[in-house]
Amino acid sequence: MVRHADRPLKVPVARRVRGMVTWLMEQPLPVPPERLRRGPFRKEAFGARSTRLTSRLGLLLGVAFGICFATGLLSHLIQHPPWWFRWPSRPVGLYRVTQGVHVATGLASIPLLGAKLWSVYPRLFTWPPARDLRHAAERAGVAALVAGALFQLVSGVLNVSRWYTPMPFFFTTGHYWVAWLTFGALLVHIGVQLPVVRRSVRGRRAGAEAGVERGVERRHVLLGAGIAAGLITLTTVGETVRPLSGVAVLAPRRPRIGPQGLPVNKTALGAGVRESASDPAYTLTVTGPAGPMRLGLEALQALPQHTVVLPIACVEGWSASATWTGVRLRDLVKMAGADPARAHVLVESLQQGGRYGSSTVEPPLTEDPFTLIALRLRGEVLHLDHGYPARLIAPNRPGVLQTKWVARLTVKETR
Ligand SMILES: Nc1nc2c(c(=O)[nH]1)N[C@H]1C(S)=C(S)[C@@H](COP(=O)(O)O)O[C@H]1N2
Ligand SMILES: [Mo]
């Protein structure tokens, strides 16, 4: 009864509100006085530019940003897994591929974004600046998109080149939240521009625009942006694609350069562990349901040793495969009195402080035969910079979670 009486009232209210919003959004805004229309705001200050070029570039950028967003989100989920997310341990090099693609699409976007901004920047000086509230909102959305895209590319490049001084915020947090903002603005922008893109892709406008802009210029810009994107990819992707490492002249890292033929991000000196890691009195403390035990280097070497080939895949986009030898984590978990299929292991480094001084290993990695507390790399005792005396190495896991200079394992079993 009550519900029936309510209904005819509620619907018109919602509709009336919507009508009012539409009306408000379409109210013309005051046009600024004509004498302010100077410099770039002059009529014909730029001549016209091709909608087709802008759309094509937009399409390329949209695809690159979409892939970059998806792979970046994946990397975030792996590092901060919510309850519903489980990352598999096979194929062992999957993260190496997704993160390589993340960094490569980001880098390739730089010339594409440059060309896109070149092709649209005259619109910055549209007159009047905003026709109505809807137009103003659209422009604010584009401003957010441009700012977000620039922020993502600049902060990404700074992080990959390990230059943190210009970033007063923690890179990962800033990069993650601005990604959502940029992605949202991109969706809105695509929604608004879809009809234009559709028309221009079908080429209906091509004839009409031939007189407006010489096709030569348009093709040159597109070609130039494409070539630049290709060159950047070719000269950086070798940091993760081994056969191209010889031409990786722009890559911040080469997969073969470093002690024992493997790159290092954080050295023992940088982590402040040179003394503690080379101390002959080193022990690994393993705590679990069976109580704590302390294993010296000799005790660790006396346990069954296993050899695996696994990559280090850094979030910064470089990766390198290597042969690791050591003790299976699941053997240590069993010795600690826990079931590897249900165990969570907190891995702590000798390193004091620092964001990457510890990590957590969860199923399926806890029981995976490839997850090692490694003592050797490529048949030799681990180099101090690679985590001597002992480091974690596990399949399909971001480099930041492959904890070096391991001092303590705390094993907990979940029900
Ligand atoms: N304790 C500790 N472990 C760490 C780090 C660190 O800063 N501290 N850096 C991680 C990062 S970012 C990467 S990519 C790998 C690199 O391992 P490698 O130096 O042996 O190549 O180590 C990881 N392990
Ligand atoms: Mo890393």
Side-chain angles (χ1 to χ4, degrees):
M1 277 275 282
V2 176
R3 226 186 270 158
H4 277 273
D6 270 359
R7 215 180 268 162
L9 262 176
K10 259 188 188 161
V11 176
V13 168
R15 207 177 288 160
R16 228 179 299 154
V17 168
R18 208 182 305 144
M20 264 159 63
V21 169
T22 313
W23 174 83
L24 189 70
M25 294 301 278
E26 284 168 2
Q27 282 311 293
L29 290 170
V31 178
E34 198 62 20
R35 66 192 153 77
L36 290 180
R37 194 168 188 188
R38 293 193 186 163
F41 288 103
R42 281 183 341 261
K43 212 185 267 179
E44 311 295 334
F46 295 97
R49 299 214 169 175
S50 158
T51 322
R52 256 192 118 196
L53 168 63
T54 304
S55 302
R56 290 269 153 104
L57 280 168
L59 214 58
L60 280 177
L61 259 180
V63 171
F65 264 66
I67 296 175
C68 206
F69 179 73
T71 47
L73 189 60
L74 187 65
S75 181
H76 178 88
L77 288 174
I78 299 168
Q79 290 173 67
H80 311 274
W83 62 268
W84 50 266
F85 184 82
R86 213 167 195 238
W87 181 240
S89 56
R90 297 288 183 287
V92 298
L94 184 59
Y95 181 75
R96 171 183 212 186
V97 176
T98 65
Q99 195 61 10
V101 166
H102 177 71
V103 173
T105 47
L107 291 174
S109 296
I110 295 170
L112 298 180
L113 184 66
K116 171 91 176 171
L117 292 179
W118 174 85
S119 82
V120 296
Y121 88 89
R123 292 196 202 157
L124 204 59
F125 309 103
T126 310
W127 197 269
R131 287 188 302 274
D132 48 34
L133 279 182
R134 182 189 299 269
H135 188 213
E138 253 171 54
R139 298 200 70 191
V142 172
L145 176 57
V146 171
L150 285 173
F151 178 88
Q152 290 304 81
L153 295 186
V154 170
S155 62
V157 167
L158 288 177
N159 188 61
V160 165
S161 25
R162 325 201 77 237
W163 188 29
Y164 304 110
T165 329
M167 292 192 281
F169 49 90
F170 176 44
F171 165 77
T172 314
T173 313
H175 202 66
Y176 175 69
W177 287 110
V178 176
W180 278 109
L181 185 132
T182 312
F183 190 66
L186 179 64
L187 289 185
V188 171
H189 183 64
I190 291 174
V192 170
Q193 296 294 334
L194 206 59
V196 183
V197 174
R198 215 180 271 151
R199 246 179 289 145
S200 79
V201 167
R202 287 205 196 118
R204 262 192 228 156
R205 284 236 173 146
E209 274 179 354
V212 166
E213 189 187 335
R214 287 158 298 138
V216 186
E217 189 188 354
R218 184 180 70 212
R219 242 178 290 130
H220 281 177
V221 173
L222 200 56
L223 195 70
I227 290 176
L231 274 178
I232 288 184
T233 307
L234 191 70
T235 53
T236 51
V237 82
E239 68 179 348
T240 183
V241 178
R242 202 68 185 264
L244 286 174
S245 67
V247 290
V249 289
L250 286 185
R253 283 284 195 285
R254 308 277 194 95
R256 256 172 285 218
I257 294 177
Q260 297 174 317
L262 193 72
V264 169
N265 257 17
K266 185 69 118 195
T267 61
L269 185 66
V273 298
R274 274 177 70 139
E275 307 265 298
S276 53
S278 16
D279 185 350
Y282 164 88
T283 56
L284 173 69
T285 307
V286 184
T287 313
M293 53 181 182
R294 309 188 61 148
L295 300 162
L297 205 45
E298 273 179 28
L300 283 171
Q301 285 158 348
L303 292 171
Q305 303 290 302
H306 298 272
T307 298
V308 296
V309 177
L310 288 179
I312 289 278
C314 183
V315 291
E316 290 159 19
W318 63 266
S319 76
S321 207
T323 311
W324 308 89
T325 304
V327 182
R328 279 184 180 152
L329 184 68
R330 70 179 190 193
D331 291 350
L332 293 167
V333 169
K334 278 183 213 151
M335 285 167 68
D339 172 6
R342 293 186 297 139
H344 292 235
V345 182
L346 174 66
V347 181
E348 288 172 286
S349 173
L350 290 167
Q351 182 183 356
Q352 305 291 313
R355 288 184 187 271
Y356 306 117
S358 70
S359 69
T360 309
V361 184
E362 290 176 358
L365 285 186
T366 358
E367 59 172 335
D368 195 295
F370 286 6
T371 305
L372 300 185
I373 293 299
L375 309 174
R376 304 177 81 84
L377 165 55
R378 300 202 161 125
E380 298 165 13
V381 170
L382 277 177
H383 187 280
L384 199 56
D385 288 339
H386 285 308
Y388 175 87
R391 69 126 7 118
L392 176 73
I393 186 82
N396 199 24
R397 185 168 165 92
V400 286
L401 303 180
Q402 309 276 30
T403 311
K404 304 196 275 193
W405 313 292
V406 175
R408 252 180 320 280
L409 300 177
T410 309
V411 184
K412 288 219 173 82
E413 227 179 65
T414 50
R415 47 264 75 107

